[in-house]
Amino acid sequence: MSWGELVGAALLGAERRTPPGGSVEALLDAAAVETVRRRAGLRPAVAARRPEPAPDDPRPPLPPAAARRLALLLTDRPGTGGGGRRGIAPDLAELLPQWLAAANAHGYRAPAERLPDLLDAARARTDLRGRALTLGGPRALWLARLNPDWGFALRGGSGRAAGLPVDGTGEPDEAAVRLRWEEGLFAERSALLRALRRHDPAAARELLAGTWPTERAEDRLMFLDSLREGLSGGDEEFLERALTDRSRNVRVTAAELLSALPGSGLAARMAARARSCVALDRTGEPDRLVVEAPHECDAGMRRDGVVPDPPPGRGERSWWLAQVVEAAPLDCWPEHLGGRTPVRIAALSVADGWAADLHEAWARAAVRQRHAEWARALLGKPSASPAAAPGDPAKLLTVLPEGERAEWVAEFIAAHGLSEAFRVLGVCAVPWAEPLGRAVVDALEIARDAGSYPWSFSGVMGLAERCLDPALADRLAPLAAVPDESEGGSPGAGGYWSEAFQRLVATLRLRATMLRELEPEAGGAPAGGRAAAGPV
Amino acid sequence: MSAGAARWASEQVLALAPDAASAKAGAKLAAPGPWSGTGAGNGAVWGLCRGSGSKPYLTVVDVAGGSAPGYRCSCPSRKFPCKHALGLLLLWAADGDAVPEAPGSVPDWADQWLSGRRRREEGKEKKEAAARDGERAAAPADPEAARRRAERRAARIAAGAGELERRLADLLRGGLAGAEQAGYAAWEETAARMVDAQAPGLAARVRELGAVPGSGPGWPSRMLEECALLHLLDRGFLGLDGLPEPLAATVRSRVGLTTEVAALLADRDALVRDHWLVLGGHESEEGKVTVRRFWLRGRRTGRMALVLSFGAGGRPPELALPVGTRVDADLAYYPGAPALRAALGERHAAPEPEDAPPPGAGVRGGPASYSVALREDPWLDAWPVVLSDVVPVPDGEGWQLADAGGDAALPVVGTAGARSRMWRLAAVSGGGPVTVFGEFGHRGFVPHTVWSGAAPATAVPLTAAGTGGGTR
């Protein structure tokens, strides 16, 4: 009797038709035998098509303590600490980016069993993506190919995890590079181009030039962007050709890259245009600049990437002037303006209210050309009023060397307090250098003594938790004591400050532990392979 | 005077956590920040932890000896051990500087509790030893009364089984097609009758039966299977005298007649001492009770065992065995065939980590061992098995585990939980062969633990068993 017949009889019921065997008892007996027989007779299925094995990841594994720390950081969802910024426990989710950066700096690979959590975290938080995918390496991309939820890992410019295929001698394997370039997914091609660019800028440019006309416009834009790293005079010819590209975004990006090459033809053309617009006042006051903004945006300017249409609310001529000055090499100015240094040029008065436009354009040029002397000149003294500075001080600061940056911000905080400091603090290297850390701690202590509430400074406090040098923890510990209520202070503020400082100290100690756990010696993992970790 | 206990591994500490939240909270406290006055020695670890109040919490843990550790903390938490005890142990495990060895300077508050606890422990051991000797010397106090109680209970269960048989017969006379409309309530009522009949095993099966009509396509076939197996169990119990003893014992335990753990462990000759590898762990909520299951495999005997631990009323189960460690311990198997469920007796040493995968079978080993086990226990839903050299393969919406060499594969049971398990398993495998422990049964394979193919192959649990692992 087949199983199907038994099920049919059971569905129908013995009242309608006599079941096999003659009774419900017999039906159940037969079904029991058949059930056990079927279960005992189970056989394996035929295997479906297997995925290709994941590529090898030669990087060393995390030390055990660091691997446990990662598991903990990944399972801590923001907000589980309870009640916003209150409390004394560190906010682990905020420490994850730093942990990832430190682990990547050591050249570790992620534990395989954490990859799903790592991909989930990267999916939820774009600020983690690049670093999470770097740590995840080729196996994370392999896993992402199997799960549409993790498709983001295969798209966009964050897929920097795939390395450069190398031959036996450690040199790029040309055939393998070409094959992946021609057949890879976008993320793989993008990662390949960046890795090759880092290794051999000219080879990367030639690889791109080989397929350039057949690439889609948005891909051309992304690929072109990867030339930013290792940009040199050798790229000029390729970029000049891209100035006539069909896509406007590609043209603008090519022009921007060329303007960052002070010796390029485009830079020279822009310098000539800029010089014709800005000059010393020969007729009136001696130490004054006069500005004559362009009267039209001609074909030559357009070809060189000047966008003719201004954004709403901005005059055409000031818009063109800004673009021309921004793209002109800053080194063209001292000679043109009577041999003055950038500091003295920035101090010149400007006729007819053009000062703001001109200084803003110079500030953007200083950032684009990474010109420290000009950045310094335009930033001015940190004690000066922040409202007077042209452009974005935070961006200008990124051009300065780390130590100088920290000193500038430290003086800025000493002069203006913390309320304006958030943006400029954000661009300082972590951990904060000694003068900067001291300035922030002093300012926090002053704020506490003034009796205000700590959450007025919660942004800076959060930054301090992540950025202060962990070595400062012991010096901060006394501040965690509950202070006496001051006259005119906000009620209860002392207790909240104590909590805030406890949390700060606890976070600093945790960061110190975290970083120590990543040291190969501390974790007991061999340091071997660190140098060979290579392209990640 | 006991010597200073060896520092534990962090996994060992985390395995003690009553739940994932405690493990996480404890790990957060495992930094020097909030701690002061820490020290270790004389078989204990102690320290002061600053909380939100003005007074720090006093935390001390007794880590001496092979028996369960003891905790004492002045915090108001009802979790046991609390996050402070876990944090302190983690700090001790990870950082020699943060919790210095200081055997001569146990603070008074810690020492008072410690010495009290050790006095009590000693007393308890003496009493237990005396009780064991007593049990051997004298049979149960009143064997005649015990026999009468057992007879009365057997009669009640038999009445319940008989009633269930009539219910099944009615169902099949009317036809299963009608069962879809009948709904859950009718079965719930029958289940309650089985509870009254002191047959919790039957009650549980009846409840499951009530859920089958709502279980999607193919339910009539599953319904008939469950009815038939329930019928088989009823007949088995009603004809218990005619069954060979191992099968009779299986039937007794299936209807819900339990064996006293103390009695099992008291029979010293039946104890199996071995180095038991913890193959897997799983925690689930069953009604108001939290159940932890641990699967073990003996190195010497090669035998599998299933150890259960229960926590009632929101309390976590007491037993915590870290997956992938070996425990030198006595085990007593419950009566029944095939022997699987066991009680954990004395542990002769703390668990030690093991970095090699257990020996396993190929994919065909799953169905093969299940069918052998079914011969002795036809009610088995699944049987534990270690598969070696298998590769996880995506198969439509679900997954398979395929032999690395051949083309045979076992389907993975496609529950929601299985999905996240399989992603972790696939990540560890990377498309290469791995060793997997899990259960194979008529629904398919449920993976619990994976060992990577690369050395050292540490165990990666795919489910959480009080270890704080696992997300989603």
Side-chain angles (χ1 to χ4, degrees), chain B residues 174-200:
Chain B
L176 291 183
E180 205 172 7
Q181 284 89 46
Y184 202 78
W187 291 111
E188 199 48 48
E189 193 199 320
T190 309
R193 302 279 280 271
M194 294 305 117
V195 172
D196 289 344
Q198 293 184 310

Side-chain angles (χ1 to χ4, degrees), chain A residues 3 6-7 10-16 24-25 27-29 31-32 35-36 38-40 42-51 53-54 68-69 72 75-76 81 88-90 92 112-117 120 139 142-143 146-147 149-150 502 506 509-510 513 516, chain B residues 10-11 24 27-28 32-33 50-51 95 165 168-169 172-177 220-221 224-229 231-232 363-364 367 370-371 374 378 381 393-395 400 402-404 406-410 419 423-424 426-431 440-442 460 471-472:
Chain A
W3 181 248
L6 290 172
V7 175
L11 266 172
L12 195 62
E15 282 166 0
R16 292 183 189 79
V24 290
E25 285 274 306
L27 172 62
L28 283 169
D29 283 345
T35 297
V36 179
R38 273 155 43 96
R39 291 182 178 183
L42 283 173
R43 301 205 164 278
V46 175
R49 212 171 67 84
R50 286 148 213 251
R68 280 192 296 275
R69 181 72 57 191
L72 195 65
T75 49
D76 195 66
I88 60 168
L92 298 184
E113 69 267 24
R114 290 291 150 225
L115 290 177
D117 303 327
D120 280 347
R139 189 170 289 209
W142 174 86
L143 202 59
L146 299 176
N147 188 343
D149 285 355
W150 297 325
Q502 279 186 45
R509 295 221 159 109
L510 178 62
T513 309
R516 207 169 47 235
Chain B
S10 300
E11 285 81 4
K24 201 180 296 175
K28 277 193 184 182
R50 188 166 54 211
D95 192 342
E165 278 298 277
L168 288 174
L172 284 166
R173 265 193 289 278
L176 291 183
S221 177
L224 181 58
E225 285 182 349
E226 290 305 318
C227 287
L229 289 175
H231 163 72
L232 191 64
V363 154
R364 281 167 220 285
Y370 178 52
S371 69
L374 274 177
D381 278 329
V393 180
D395 179 25
Q400 292 180 334
D403 260 330
D407 63 351
L410 298 183
R419 249 182 75 75
W423 284 116
R424 202 176 296 282
V428 171
S429 141
F440 178 79
H442 56 93
V460 175
T471 53
R472 293 216 294 186

Side-chain angles (χ1 to χ4, degrees), chain A residues 10-287:
Chain A
L11 266 172
L12 195 62
E15 282 166 0
R16 292 183 189 79
R17 188 193 298 160
T18 308
S23 70
V24 290
E25 285 274 306
L27 172 62
L28 283 169
D29 283 345
V33 170
E34 193 56 20
T35 297
V36 179
R37 209 179 71 88
R38 273 155 43 96
R39 291 182 178 183
L42 283 173
R43 301 205 164 278
V46 175
R49 212 171 67 84
R50 286 148 213 251
E52 285 290 309
D56 264 353
D57 190 340
R59 296 175 295 170
L62 287 167
R68 280 192 296 275
R69 181 72 57 191
L70 173 62
L72 195 65
L73 295 177
L74 284 172
T75 49
D76 195 66
R77 296 275 178 264
T80 50
R85 295 204 54 78
R86 308 273 289 282
I88 60 168
D91 190 342
L92 298 184
E94 291 289 342
L95 295 179
L96 187 52
Q98 192 170 104
W99 187 95
L100 288 171
N104 285 332
H106 280 285
Y108 293 119
R109 67 178 141 89
E113 69 267 24
R114 290 291 150 225
L115 290 177
D117 303 327
L118 201 58
L119 284 163
D120 280 347
R123 183 188 183 205
R125 288 177 60 181
T126 44
D127 64 317
L128 295 176
R129 270 187 199 174
R131 279 172 280 200
L133 291 177
T134 299
L135 187 73
R139 189 170 289 209
L141 289 186
W142 174 86
L143 202 59
R145 277 189 175 208
L146 299 176
N147 188 343
D149 285 355
W150 297 325
F152 69 86
L154 310 174
R155 294 188 299 266
S158 55
R160 297 193 300 148
L164 199 56
V166 289
D167 61 18
T169 64
E171 284 299 299
D173 179 338
E174 276 182 43
V177 165
R178 183 145 292 280
L179 187 71
R180 196 187 294 177
W181 179 248
E182 278 162 8
E183 295 181 359
L185 296 171
F186 174 74
E188 291 168 325
R189 303 181 68 206
S190 180
L192 178 75
L193 191 64
R194 280 172 201 273
L196 187 60
R197 180 74 178 176
R198 215 161 292 160
H199 182 82
D200 181 352
R205 186 187 63 241
E206 280 158 26
L207 188 70
L208 179 57
T211 58
W212 183 255
T214 61
E215 305 289 353
R216 300 182 313 150
E218 55 262 49
D219 293 355
R220 287 203 303 279
L221 187 63
M222 294 295 295
F223 291 146
L224 196 59
D225 205 51
S226 66
L227 297 190
R228 221 174 271 279
E229 192 170 330
L231 192 66
S232 76
D235 300 317
E236 188 183 351
E237 196 192 326
F238 177 77
L239 291 171
E240 275 284 339
R241 270 184 280 140
L243 284 177
T244 58
D245 196 87
R246 296 188 298 280
S247 152
R248 202 185 81 170
N249 285 334
V250 171
R251 293 197 301 271
V252 170
T253 302
E256 192 199 323
L257 288 171
L258 281 169
S259 72
L261 282 174
S264 70
L266 179 134
R269 295 195 291 277
M270 283 297 189
R273 289 185 188 110
R275 277 196 299 255
S276 75
C277 293
V278 180
L280 283 171
D281 190 351
R282 302 276 176 210
T283 57
E285 298 171 37
D287 280 348

Side-chain angles (χ1 to χ4, degrees), chain B residues 365-394:
Chain B
S369 53
Y370 178 52
S371 69
V372 169
L374 274 177
R375 209 159 55 188
E376 295 177 293
D377 180 358
W379 298 279
L380 264 180
D381 278 329
W383 187 252
V385 58
V386 177
L387 304 177
S388 46
D389 270 337
V390 289
V391 183
V393 180

Side-chain angles (χ1 to χ4, degrees), chain B residues 15-280:
Chain B
L16 300 169
D19 50 39
S22 297
K24 201 180 296 175
K28 277 193 184 182
L29 286 173
W35 291 98
S36 59
T38 52
N42 199 12
V45 186
W46 61 86
L48 279 68
C49 186
R50 188 166 54 211
S52 48
S54 56
K55 271 192 193 162
Y57 297 126
L58 310 176
T59 312
V60 53
V61 185
D62 183 359
V63 292
S67 65
Y71 317 92
R72 166 87 169 181
C73 184
S74 61
C75 79
S77 169
R78 286 176 56 240
K79 295 279 178 65
F80 193 77
C82 67
K83 61 182 179 179
H84 306 101
L86 290 169
L88 178 62
L89 285 176
L90 284 171
L91 191 62
W92 173 61
D95 192 342
D97 297 336
V99 185
E101 227 35 80
S105 60
V106 186
D108 283 347
W109 56 267
D111 196 43
Q112 267 175 14
W113 173 76
L114 268 178
S115 39
R117 170 178 154 86
R118 285 181 184 156
R119 268 197 308 278
R120 284 193 301 279
E121 287 273 299
E122 252 172 51
K124 207 168 98 188
E125 266 172 33
K126 275 187 195 139
K127 226 191 268 173
E128 274 175 6
R132 268 201 303 275
D133 293 343
E135 258 166 51
R136 288 186 153 198
D142 185 351
E144 184 54 28
R147 196 182 55 77
R148 276 200 305 274
R149 270 199 306 278
E151 269 177 11
R152 270 202 302 278
R153 183 163 177 201
R156 294 182 72 166
I157 297 177
E163 187 183 337
L164 204 49
E165 278 298 277
R166 284 191 292 283
R167 177 83 212 257
L168 288 174
D170 286 349
L171 177 69
L172 284 166
R173 265 193 289 278
L176 291 183
E180 205 172 7
Q181 284 89 46
Y184 202 78
W187 291 111
E188 199 48 48
E189 193 199 320
T190 309
R193 302 279 280 271
M194 294 305 117
V195 172
D196 289 344
Q198 293 184 310
L202 292 179
R205 282 189 167 265
V206 169
R207 261 189 219 106
E208 277 173 34
L209 204 56
V212 173
S215 67
W219 72 265
S221 177
R222 286 193 293 280
M223 188 78 178
L224 181 58
E225 285 182 349
E226 290 305 318
C227 287
L229 289 175
L230 191 49
H231 163 72
L232 191 64
L233 188 55
D234 289 335
R235 302 302 327 163
F237 190 79
L238 295 170
L240 205 55
D241 295 342
L243 297 180
E245 182 42 39
L247 184 58
T250 299
V251 170
R252 273 195 290 268
S253 86
R254 288 272 172 205
V255 299
L257 282 167
T258 51
T259 311
E260 289 283 330
V261 177
L264 276 180
L265 291 171
D267 183 358
R268 302 237 129 207
D269 303 330
L271 293 183
V272 184
R273 179 170 173 178
D274 204 340
H275 289 264
W276 299 96
L277 173 64
V278 185
L279 290 172

